[in-house]
Amino acid sequence: LFFIFHIDTTENELGILDLIQVLVETLDQVFENVCELDLIFNMDTIHFILDEYIVGGLVIETNMKDVLEALHLQKVEVLKTTSTTSIASLKSMISSTTPK
């Protein structure tokens, strides 16, 4: 994998190298031996991870554990929302098929 970051002359190069290292380690943790296909088919997860590290062009987080925890919480929230929606749709299907 290759990562390209466009930075200006005022940016700390070692800081960006650290960011790339932490990003790659995080992706490796999430996808277990990350490859190009993981990036292509899980773009929403990649964007979430990048948004946890970088906001408005500024690096706000460099702790991999915090980002992984936020990703886990986001997945749990999605599962809750999905299951709530599924239960509601099942109830409406049952009530529409039940004779009155």
Side-chain angles (χ1 to χ4, degrees), residues 90-100:
L90 284 174
K91 285 181 179 179
S92 68
M93 285 175 43
I94 292 170
S95 65
S96 66
T97 58
T98 305
K100 296 184 181 191

Side-chain angles (χ1 to χ4, degrees), residues 13-78:
E13 293 175 8
L14 291 176
I16 297 301
L17 286 174
D18 183 46
L19 173 64
I20 293 170
Q21 177 68 32
V22 171
L23 177 63
V24 170
E25 287 178 8
T26 303
L27 294 175
D28 201 40
Q29 283 275 326
V30 171
F31 298 113
E32 299 163 3
N33 199 9
V34 67
C35 68
E36 292 88 355
L37 292 175
D38 292 325
L39 302 180
I40 292 169
F41 292 116
N42 297 292
M43 197 55 93
D44 55 338
T45 303
I46 304 300
H47 283 148
F48 184 84
I49 292 170
L50 281 172
D51 286 344
E52 287 294 312
Y53 282 121
I54 302 169
V55 173
L58 299 173
V59 178
I60 60 165
E61 184 65 64
T62 57
N63 188 343
M64 181 175 59
K65 289 181 182 179
D66 289 345
V67 171
L68 290 173
E69 183 179 330
L71 180 64
H72 175 72
L73 291 173
Q74 188 251 358
K75 287 183 178 184
V76 167
E77 189 63 34
V78 167

